[in-house]
Amino acid sequence: TPLEEAKILETAQFEAEDRVLEIGCGSGFMSYLLSRICKQVTSIDIYPDFIANSSELYKNLKIKNIKLIEHDATQPKKFSHPFDAIICSSGIEFIPQHWLEWLSPKGKIFAPIGQEVQNAQWLKVKDNQIITHEFVLQTKLPMLSNHQKPKFIF
């Protein structure tokens, strides 16, 4: 919701030179807001129609600092540079290791963690390890597609 997006941005403490990865571009609204305060926004989504609609919107608005990529965030991927922050707009059970590897050494991740009700929080990372977390809000979002906790098999 716009209120949740405002709370995310209010607590983010972004700097003008930040490069942000958004997981789940949806309507493109959050990427647009991020593009106004950050140097570069990369938004990934598994749904090609979301990518196409957002791409058309940014083209019409002449926005040049948003890059859209069709990709499943549950899978590793090489990016041309690390990100200062990752914002996930879907519920997740855990932070995949490759998300930590996508970050700069002192990056941060915003993620709604949980199943039924999620605790949305900023996770501060140092050298691929989560070192602190800051609770932002409780929410109930659809779970990230294809994101399942690994099962222990004996």
Side-chain angles (χ1 to χ4, degrees), residues 43-55:
S43 187
I44 60 177
D45 207 301
I46 62 171
Y47 299 110
D49 53 329
F50 289 178
I51 296 288
N53 291 341
S54 293
S55 179

Side-chain angles (χ1 to χ4, degrees), residues 44-46 70-76 98 102 144-147:
I44 60 177
D45 207 301
I46 62 171
E70 185 180 334
H71 179 71
D72 180 350
T74 66
Q75 301 301 310
H98 60 271
W102 290 343
L144 186 66
S145 297
N146 300 325
H147 186 78

Side-chain angles (χ1 to χ4, degrees), residues 19 31-32 34-36 38-43 54-68:
R19 296 174 187 249
S31 293
Y32 170 78
L34 289 166
S35 76
R36 301 326 280 138
C38 298
K39 178 180 183 177
Q40 179 67 43
V41 178
T42 301
S43 187
S54 293
S55 179
E56 187 66 25
L57 173 70
Y58 304 145
K59 181 180 172 187
N60 291 339
L61 293 172
K62 298 182 169 94
I63 298 172
K64 307 277 188 210
N65 66 332
I66 300 175
K67 182 177 184 179
L68 298 164

Side-chain angles (χ1 to χ4, degrees), residues 3-147:
L3 180 59
E4 291 174 332
E5 289 161 332
K7 189 71 173 166
I8 294 166
L9 294 174
E10 176 185 36
T11 58
Q13 300 175 346
F14 286 124
E15 297 179 10
E17 293 301 308
D18 282 347
R19 296 174 187 249
V20 178
L21 173 65
E22 180 189 26
I23 296 174
C25 74
S27 68
F29 181 64
M30 184 63 148
S31 293
Y32 170 78
L33 295 174
L34 289 166
S35 76
R36 301 326 280 138
I37 57 177
C38 298
K39 178 180 183 177
Q40 179 67 43
V41 178
T42 301
S43 187
I44 60 177
D45 207 301
I46 62 171
Y47 299 110
D49 53 329
F50 289 178
I51 296 288
N53 291 341
S54 293
S55 179
E56 187 66 25
L57 173 70
Y58 304 145
K59 181 180 172 187
N60 291 339
L61 293 172
K62 298 182 169 94
I63 298 172
K64 307 277 188 210
N65 66 332
I66 300 175
K67 182 177 184 179
L68 298 164
I69 300 171
E70 185 180 334
H71 179 71
D72 180 350
T74 66
Q75 301 301 310
K77 177 175 179 47
K78 295 269 188 203
F79 288 100
S80 60
H81 56 79
F83 297 97
D84 301 297
I86 295 173
I87 296 178
C88 179
S89 59
S90 297
I92 58 172
E93 290 184 60
F94 64 97
I95 303 295
Q97 180 62 36
H98 60 271
W99 289 15
L100 300 174
E101 294 164 2
W102 290 343
L103 286 172
S104 62
K106 293 183 179 177
K108 58 191 172 188
I109 298 174
F110 178 84
I113 300 174
Q115 288 183 329
E116 294 302 314
V117 175
Q118 294 107 13
N119 289 319
Q121 53 199 297
W122 279 106
L123 306 166
K124 303 278 171 86
V125 176
K126 183 176 181 186
D127 300 323
N128 293 341
Q129 297 290 322
I130 296 170
I131 56 171
T132 64
H133 61 92
E134 175 189 339
F135 174 82
V136 177
L137 55 90
Q138 268 194 337
T139 188
K140 180 162 178 45
L141 295 169
M143 297 301 283
L144 186 66
S145 297
N146 300 325
H147 186 78

